[in-house]
Amino acid sequence: MSTSNDQRRQAAAGLDQLASLVRAQSWSKDLPPTQAAVLRALEGVPAGQRARQLAERLGISAASLSDSLKVLETKGWIERLPDPADGRAAIVRLSVDGGKMAQELLGGEGGMAGLLKRLEADDLGALLRITQLMVYEAQQQGLATGPRTCLGCRFFQPYATQDREQPHFCGFVRKPFGHADLRVDCTEQDPGRKQQVAANARRFRQAVPQ
């Protein structure tokens, strides 16, 4: 079935509306979207991350990140420590209270988590597959550099098995997996070469093999 411009406009309108709702909800809690994104990004990274790397991961400017870090530090949600490997850099990590807030953002009833809680596994798997492709397009257009997706990883082999339930293969853990296990932010991700990622993206765009 061909895709019309109207279908793309409708999909874009729907995503824009959902994003606006989530941003509005975030502001209603006195937590601007960038600050919320910082907390979510640092959750699960106990050692912390360099500010520069964090800015790249979130796709924001260093100045914008700096402003957000100052506010989050004032609230007691993050800590900034000297980087032992670079005296000019700082390591940013969550405080105990910041970790609690990040867990609430990631697993609570609000934001995108609240919109996804009633989706079944198959629907979530389909959404994760589409999310991989959308992040790839964002990266191709220079809108994002940080997301550590399966599709951007050198270990990822899309549709490499004959198993419809687990069609993909991860060379890092050496196991097959399905759409529902696709990762958008994988700590073990190792960026693939440009040609490899482009070839995987072409394969990933195709209709799911029968």
Side-chain angles (χ1 to χ4, degrees):
M1 184 176 69
S2 62
T3 303
S4 69
N5 288 333
D6 184 61
Q7 287 174 311
R8 290 192 174 88
R9 283 195 295 268
Q10 290 295 322
L15 291 173
D16 285 340
Q17 289 173 10
L18 291 175
S20 295
L21 288 172
V22 173
R23 284 195 297 268
Q25 184 183 61
S26 179
W27 276 107
S28 71
K29 295 182 179 181
D30 194 28
L31 186 62
T34 300
Q35 293 179 28
V38 169
L39 295 177
R40 286 193 294 265
L42 290 175
E43 202 284 326
V45 189
Q49 194 167 34
R50 287 182 178 178
R52 177 181 57 81
Q53 294 172 325
L54 188 57
E56 291 176 353
R57 183 176 167 189
L58 297 176
I60 60 178
S61 68
S64 177
L65 177 64
S66 179
D67 291 341
S68 294
L69 293 181
K70 289 177 183 177
V71 177
L72 291 172
E73 193 171 27
T74 299
K75 292 179 178 179
W77 289 345
I78 66 162
E79 301 169 340
R80 283 195 276 190
L81 307 172
D83 184 348
D86 185 348
R88 298 168 299 175
I91 297 293
V92 183
R93 70 182 185 188
L94 293 175
S95 66
V96 173
D97 288 341
K100 293 177 181 177
M101 177 58 69
Q103 286 287 341
E104 182 179 334
L105 290 170
L106 288 166
E109 297 296 313
M112 286 294 179
L115 302 180
L116 300 176
K117 65 180 181 178
R118 296 188 185 279
L119 291 185
E120 298 295 337
D122 286 348
D123 291 329
L124 282 172
L127 179 58
L128 283 167
R129 176 178 174 272
I130 295 302
T131 300
Q132 297 279 325
L133 290 169
M134 292 185 69
V135 170
Y136 173 75
E137 289 301 324
Q139 292 170 332
Q140 293 298 107
Q141 295 177 31
L143 301 176
T145 57
R148 299 174 293 185
T149 62
C150 288
L151 186 53
C153 181
R154 73 181 181 92
F155 295 113
F156 181 54
Q157 300 175 39
Y159 300 126
T161 78
Q162 301 299 316
D163 187 342
R164 290 190 62 190
E165 297 299 319
Q166 295 183 310
H168 314 304
F169 189 84
C170 175
F172 182 80
V173 298
R174 303 194 63 80
K175 290 183 178 180
F177 65 100
H179 295 329
D181 293 315
L182 287 163
R183 316 302 290 177
V184 177
D185 189 22
C186 178
T187 55
E188 283 81 31
Q189 197 237 36
D190 190 357
R193 294 182 178 180
K194 185 175 181 180
Q195 289 183 335
Q196 176 198 9
V197 174
N200 281 347
R202 288 193 295 271
R203 173 67 169 151
F204 207 56
R205 281 197 189 96
Q206 295 175 0
V208 179
Q210 299 298 316

